[in-house]
Amino acid sequence: MDTNKTGNIPLPQKIEWDNTYSVGKKFIDNDHKSLFEIYNQMVDCLHKKDFGEGFAELLSKMTDYSLSHFKNEEEYMKRIGYPGLTSHREQHRRYIKKTAVYNSNFLTHDPPLIIDVIVFLRDWWRDHILKRDIKYELYRRGLITQAIRKRIEELSTEKGKIAGERFFREEVKIIGTKSADVTAISKEIFKGLNDKEKNSVFAVCEDLFKGGFLEESFVACDWAYRCRKMFQKEDFKLFEYWVNNYITNWATCDTFCNHTLGAFLDMWPAYITALKSWTQNPNRWVRRASAVALIIPAREGRYKNEIFEIADLLLKDKDDMVQKGYGWMLKECSKPYRQEVFDFVISRRTVMPRTALRYAIEKMPQEMRKEAMKK
């Protein structure tokens, strides 16, 4: 009996976990990570001599873990009332039947071709996670975002929409609801969430950002900030992605950066270094974010050296929204460090855009403002 046959086909690569496989539900993501780990052990096993028995043990381990995972997953789909549960359960049954055949035949006189087993497992899990599992989470998230949209629309007015649009030169999607009402809706719906686990909340935040409506982006900013006690270092990559891809106006930029990103930087100040690279980003909102993320620390007298360094990196930026952003940062910094900010402005006033300069000195005494504005 040859249990080591793999055919002449090159062995497949391991599956490396990344966020594309995340469904936004921690216990499910953890199960999938464990299944990938078992699969990767199977790939490693193929490089060993006489791997047949070891491979069979891993195949049995994956089958057992899959059964446990499917049970938990189906219970979760039932809890959220997912309408596709029946068809999803059928997919699980087909998988179980297929792997049961592999397990029962593996150590017989006619075992399956190893490469067939590996390729089936790789392709099935990739397809199942990316095309099927994501559907029940999209359903759950859809219920939440629909509830938010409905409440916001109920309190919207055409007058509010027109008034809101006046604050922006760029095109902004506005429903027309007062900020105070949006804040109240955000707080109320968040309080009623059954699942406040960070990954689940962040997944909804991303859906709200993708919708592109200003009011919904405010809810996303608020919910992300409410998860600050659960922040981890790796969240910076997600926050950076959001800034690059979903922030398209000053209001969302300032709300997200002042609070969510600002809270993260307070936990891990070393990431302020990353803001310095943002100053050279072609996206105007990323450049503005590099400054406004430090507004609250600037006001409180923290990170003075980093603030001046970022202001220098943005000094000659031609975009007025960026100029206003770092000018605002300097203005806040002038409250605890008036003389230092004044000296900074005076030494650069010949090259510093007037917009940034005026913002920076706005809270200084009249004599200092006059001196700084001299050409």
Side-chain angles (χ1 to χ4, degrees):
M1 177 178 65
D2 179 13
T3 59
N4 293 350
K5 56 183 180 178
T6 59
N8 296 320
I9 304 173
L11 296 179
Q13 297 294 311
K14 295 181 179 182
I15 304 177
E16 299 298 332
W17 176 270
D18 61 43
N19 277 337
T20 60
Y21 291 108
S22 175
V23 300
K25 187 68 182 173
K26 189 174 183 179
F27 85 87
I28 292 170
D29 284 349
N30 286 342
D31 277 1
H32 290 160
K33 288 176 184 178
S34 296
L35 287 161
F36 281 8
E37 184 178 341
I38 298 171
Y39 169 84
N40 290 338
Q41 290 172 1
M42 295 170 81
V43 173
D44 283 338
C45 186
L46 301 183
H47 295 284
K48 300 176 182 178
K49 187 178 180 180
D50 299 324
F51 59 77
E53 186 174 341
F55 188 90
E57 290 177 359
L58 287 169
L59 180 59
S60 178
K61 181 180 180 181
M62 172 165 271
T63 302
D64 290 343
Y65 198 97
S66 298
L67 288 169
S68 174
H69 167 64
F70 291 157
K71 180 176 181 295
N72 293 335
E73 190 177 58
E74 288 170 14
E75 288 176 352
Y76 174 67
M77 285 187 280
K78 187 176 181 179
R79 285 201 307 273
I80 65 174
Y82 179 53
L85 172 59
T86 300
S87 61
H88 200 108
R89 182 184 284 133
E90 182 60 30
Q91 289 287 328
H92 290 170
R93 288 174 177 169
R94 291 176 187 173
Y95 170 89
I96 293 167
K97 183 178 180 180
K98 183 83 170 180
T99 54
V101 171
Y102 283 146
N103 274 288
S104 61
N105 292 341
F106 195 78
L107 295 178
T108 67
H109 291 287
D110 187 26
L113 195 65
I114 295 293
I115 196 68
D116 287 347
V117 178
I118 285 285
V119 169
F120 167 75
L121 292 173
R122 179 199 65 192
D123 292 349
W124 193 91
W125 280 109
R126 280 178 171 172
D127 182 80
H128 190 72
I129 293 171
L130 296 174
K131 295 182 181 179
R132 291 173 174 80
D133 284 350
I134 193 63
K135 287 184 178 179
Y136 59 73
E137 270 305 281
L138 288 174
Y139 170 77
R140 179 190 70 87
R141 285 148 49 183
L143 293 178
I144 297 171
T145 56
Q146 287 168 22
I148 292 169
R149 174 82 57 86
K150 181 180 179 182
R151 291 291 305 282
I152 291 173
E153 288 179 342
E154 286 174 349
L155 297 178
S156 67
T157 64
E158 184 62 23
K159 182 179 179 181
K161 182 176 183 298
I162 295 171
E165 289 172 346
R166 290 175 182 162
F167 286 99
F168 303 91
R169 285 179 296 177
E170 62 275 4
E171 183 178 348
V172 179
K173 292 169 65 177
I174 295 179
I175 298 173
T177 307
K178 294 179 180 178
S179 297
D181 290 333
V182 174
T183 299
I185 291 168
S186 179
K187 180 179 179 180
E188 178 185 342
I189 296 181
F190 186 86
K191 184 178 180 180
L193 287 179
N194 292 324
D195 182 4
K196 294 185 177 69
E197 191 275 320
K198 184 186 69 176
N199 287 0
S200 297
V201 174
F202 280 1
V204 176
C205 290
E206 181 142 349
D207 290 343
L208 291 168
F209 277 130
K210 284 180 181 178
F213 286 97
L214 185 68
E215 292 90 345
E216 291 179 7
S217 75
F218 288 163
V219 176
C221 293
D222 179 41
W223 284 19
Y225 181 66
R226 288 176 183 272
C227 292
R228 61 191 179 280
K229 292 183 179 179
M230 296 181 278
F231 285 175
Q232 295 175 310
K233 288 183 179 181
E234 54 265 32
D235 293 329
F236 184 79
K237 290 183 178 179
L238 178 63
F239 296 159
E240 186 173 42
Y241 178 82
W242 285 351
V243 173
N244 272 277
N245 292 276
Y246 301 132
I247 289 180
T248 57
N249 59 77
W250 63 264
T252 305
C253 182
D254 297 355
T255 303
F256 179 75
C257 293
N258 283 182
H259 303 291
T260 304
L261 187 55
F264 177 91
L265 294 172
D266 269 342
M267 295 177 185
W268 293 285
Y271 281 86
I272 294 176
T273 300
L275 297 185
K276 297 172 187 177
S277 68
W278 290 14
T279 64
Q280 306 306 307
N281 194 291
N283 184 331
R284 71 192 301 204
W285 303 115
V286 177
R287 301 201 305 279
R288 180 180 173 96
S290 70
V292 299
L294 297 176
I295 292 297
I296 294 176
R299 185 181 303 153
E300 297 174 351
R302 293 180 287 120
Y303 313 137
K304 178 183 66 174
N305 293 338
E306 291 84 354
I307 286 167
F308 285 146
E309 186 174 351
I310 287 174
D312 257 336
L313 290 167
L314 295 172
L315 189 67
K316 298 180 182 179
D317 199 294
K318 298 184 185 306
D319 191 298
D320 71 325
M321 296 308 297
V322 179
Q323 294 168 11
K324 291 175 181 178
Y326 85 79
W328 179 22
M329 176 182 67
L330 289 173
K331 176 174 65 177
E332 296 303 324
C333 189
S334 74
K335 294 174 182 177
Y337 298 110
R338 178 189 294 169
Q339 189 61 47
E340 287 92 332
V341 173
F342 180 73
D343 293 343
F344 179 92
V345 170
I346 289 294
S347 65
R348 293 160 178 79
R349 64 181 174 184
T350 58
V351 294
M352 189 176 188
R354 304 298 274 184
T355 296
L357 192 153
R358 283 193 294 269
Y359 266 72
I361 64 174
E362 187 177 355
K363 296 298 181 180
M364 293 184 183
Q366 185 176 8
E367 318 83 70
M368 298 179 85
R369 294 201 307 272
K370 285 182 177 179
E371 179 64 23
M373 293 296 290
K374 286 181 181 178
K375 293 186 178 181

